[in-house]
Amino acid sequence: MPRAVATVLLVVYLTGLTLTVIGNTSSGSALLVSVVKGRLFSPWMTPAWLDLGFDYFFTYAQPTDAALRLEVRPHGDAAWQSGPGTGATGPRAVRWQRLLRAMLASESEPGREGLLPAAVGAGLFDWCGEDVDLQVLVVPQPDRQAPEVVPDPAVLYTARVRRVSGGEVQLIKTEARREVAPVVPTAGGAQ
């Protein structure tokens, strides 16, 4: 009995799939084929990233959906170590990604700049000592045309977190050097 039911379901599935492929034309088709295609097998005709049931950020393939990674090191060391949560999977990985995204987003909120990165750095004092460098990297998704070429991660945020006298936590944000205009003397002699 189970084999008979499985056989019938498999035949119905393959028949519907065949009718869906045959009826996927812009020209007119038989009423039966259009009803079967439109009502029974329409989920096969919708790409997964357009279906709300598959609304996951990895299906968008946007640069903003790339995975974030935390790297830490004791201040002054040359080698960066992968931070906690780097190899996590499932719900734990989602929580780490949410934390890192919130850490980057908090930098644009007036009055809250540096609070979350300082708290994350202070949480790493037991692991790396009381003077920690941390950086958040974005790992871009590989191109669909060349999946074997993995792009290098880009640094989004870098800071130094240390405990100063009195037990306070100090955050020193590292910013990239920018070009500055040269100082040129003016006609009046002032610079």
Side-chain angles (χ1 to χ4, degrees):
M1 186 65 175
R3 288 183 185 171
V5 171
T7 302
V8 168
L9 291 176
L10 187 61
V11 167
V12 168
Y13 178 84
L14 291 176
T15 302
L17 185 60
T18 304
L19 288 175
T20 302
V21 171
I22 291 171
N24 192 21
T25 63
S26 59
S27 64
S29 59
L31 181 62
L32 173 66
V33 173
S34 64
V35 168
V36 167
K37 182 181 94 173
R39 297 220 176 139
L40 300 176
F41 301 104
S42 62
W44 290 334
M45 305 307 292
T46 305
W49 59 86
L50 296 178
D51 188 1
L52 291 180
F54 294 93
D55 192 20
Y56 301 111
F57 64 90
F58 282 124
T59 61
Y60 302 151
Q62 298 294 320
T64 56
D65 300 324
L68 299 175
R69 187 173 73 205
L70 176 68
E71 290 187 349
V72 297
R73 68 179 177 190
H75 181 68
D77 280 5
W80 290 93
Q81 305 168 8
S82 294
T86 300
T89 58
R92 186 168 181 236
V94 172
R95 286 193 301 268
W96 273 102
Q97 291 296 311
R98 191 176 304 143
L99 173 69
L100 294 175
R101 289 186 197 290
M103 196 165 101
L104 295 174
S106 70
E107 289 301 303
S108 62
E109 296 178 18
R112 298 185 57 165
E113 306 95 351
L115 290 178
L116 194 53
V120 170
L124 296 170
F125 284 164
D126 292 337
W127 196 32
C128 293
E130 294 194 351
D131 197 355
V132 178
D133 291 333
L134 61 91
Q135 67 181 0
V136 178
L137 303 148
V138 62
V139 183
Q141 295 175 348
D143 189 13
R144 293 179 108 183
Q145 309 305 330
E148 65 276 349
V149 177
V150 179
D152 292 332
V155 177
L156 297 178
Y157 182 82
T158 305
R160 176 182 177 191
V161 182
R162 65 182 181 167
R163 190 180 312 265
V164 294
S165 61
E168 287 188 37
V169 176
Q170 181 186 32
L171 176 94
I172 304 168
K173 184 176 176 183
T174 308
E175 295 188 17
R177 294 179 186 249
R178 293 179 275 185
E179 260 186 63
V180 294
V183 179
V184 180
T186 61
Q191 290 185 2

